[in-house]
Amino acid sequence: MRSSLTAEDLVLVEAVSRHGSVGAAAKELLTTQPSASRRLAALERRLGTRLFERDTTGARPTPAGRELARQAARLLADLDALPAQIAAATQAPSVSLGTIQALAPIVFTAAQIELAGVTLQTEIDHGPTLIGRVHQGLLDAAIVTIADQAVLPQGLQTTGLGASPLVLVLPADTTPLAAGRKALAGREVLYSSIDLTGKHLHAGLSGLGALPQPGPTIEATLRIARHRKVPAVVPDLAARWWDDPTDRLLPSPVPGKVKLSLVTRPPQPSRLAQVLPALTARILGAPQDSPDRP
């Protein structure tokens, strides 16, 4: 059975370790040495290990005691700081916002700019996990790409932020595309869709004769494509965030869009609602319904 530790246990272990003496620790804690010794012995029995070697010269921590004392000092410092942190959270406006890893640099940079003066608490995880945390009240909001592709828990509110079309990125020195529908036939094409349409995209590229390969992340997909000098299909917003001026952007050979949604519990957090249009514009950038950048 797992033994629980109390704040009093931590205070005692930290004090004994710091003073190197049960008697000195007891004096600091305004108790008697026999009482402190009994409490320490009871704690060791509960934990099933000896924390201090004690004799007439003092108390020396065992490896277990040294680790517990180290953790106790950290936890007690956190407890001491907690009232000030609570007061700061009460006085300063804050918003907790989550998003997926692929969007994190884009979303959080935009949020830091548009929510100036607001403490931004950020979280990165998979879309379903973030949606669950919003539902549990652990996040104010999440920006995800699967809100219209998954069944959401009851009571959540979704706000469509817009869509970013898929584009074909042609890095510099990539072999020119052939004309016609089979322009990618026999060619390796990397892709990253950041939603649940990856299988559809893979099938579409295969149908065009390409040799599609999923990338690990959007940024990695673009870096690998530039290194190998092969085409890549990614959302336009990502291609422009991780931009290389020598890239050429064309419409994706497999049409598609990544839809961004804001998931919240109603009512929508007021501070977020006030900046949502500007935040959305900053995340998505200028509309690129027909991208073709030379």
Side-chain angles (χ1 to χ4, degrees):
M1 187 174 82
R2 185 174 64 182
S3 298
S4 59
L5 291 170
T6 66
E8 289 77 13
D9 293 332
L10 300 180
V11 169
L12 176 61
V13 170
E14 190 278 333
V16 173
S17 176
R18 177 161 41 83
H19 287 288
S21 163
V22 176
K27 185 176 181 180
E28 177 183 301
L29 301 178
L30 304 180
T31 187
T32 65
Q33 179 171 343
S35 176
S37 294
R38 286 194 297 271
R39 286 173 50 198
L40 188 57
L43 175 60
E44 290 176 327
R45 287 195 296 273
R46 294 201 331 260
L47 294 177
T49 187
R50 196 162 182 81
L51 299 174
F52 294 92
E53 299 292 348
R54 301 184 283 283
D55 57 28
T56 57
T57 64
R60 294 172 299 281
T62 65
R66 190 177 301 112
E67 177 61 18
L68 181 55
R70 184 181 70 84
Q71 295 287 356
R74 179 182 63 82
L75 291 170
L76 292 170
D78 287 344
L79 284 174
D80 287 341
L82 194 54
Q85 293 171 348
I86 293 173
T90 302
Q91 297 166 4
S94 66
V95 170
S96 58
L97 177 65
T99 194
I100 60 176
Q101 182 180 16
L103 291 177
I106 306 171
V107 167
F108 293 149
T109 298
Q112 289 282 4
I113 295 171
E114 298 302 334
L115 289 168
V118 174
T119 300
L120 183 64
Q121 300 167 342
T122 62
E123 185 166 332
I124 301 172
D125 214 315
H126 300 295
T129 300
L130 295 170
I131 291 171
R133 290 182 67 76
V134 173
H135 184 245
Q136 295 163 8
L138 301 176
L139 276 176
D140 291 326
I143 294 178
V144 297
T145 60
I146 62 166
D148 63 338
Q149 301 170 346
V151 178
L152 302 186
Q154 289 187 351
L156 291 186
Q157 171 181 326
T158 61
T159 304
L161 302 182
S164 182
L166 297 177
V167 294
L168 181 69
V169 179
L170 296 177
D173 301 325
T174 301
T175 303
L177 299 180
R181 178 175 169 77
K182 295 294 184 178
L184 297 174
R187 298 184 60 166
E188 178 184 11
V189 179
L190 301 179
Y191 69 88
S192 183
S193 62
I194 66 171
D195 60 8
L196 301 181
T197 62
K199 290 184 178 179
H200 168 76
L201 183 54
H202 188 106
L205 290 169
S206 296
L208 295 175
L211 305 175
Q213 296 290 334
T217 65
I218 284 187
E219 182 181 8
T221 297
L222 289 168
R223 290 183 180 276
I224 294 169
R226 290 167 186 149
H227 176 73
R228 293 183 184 174
K229 297 181 173 53
V230 299
V233 177
V234 298
D236 177 75
L237 66 86
R240 294 176 183 277
W241 176 265
W242 285 286
D243 176 54
D244 186 312
T246 64
D247 289 342
R248 186 181 181 197
L249 305 188
L250 299 172
S252 171
V254 179
K257 293 183 177 182
V258 172
K259 298 179 181 179
L260 271 62
S261 300
L262 180 75
V263 180
T264 62
R265 293 165 63 98
Q268 198 175 86
S270 59
R271 294 185 182 91
L272 199 54
Q274 292 168 5
V275 302
L276 195 55
L279 179 66
T280 300
R282 195 174 290 278
I283 292 171
L284 290 174
Q288 299 293 332
D289 290 333
S290 300
D292 188 356
R293 186 182 70 187

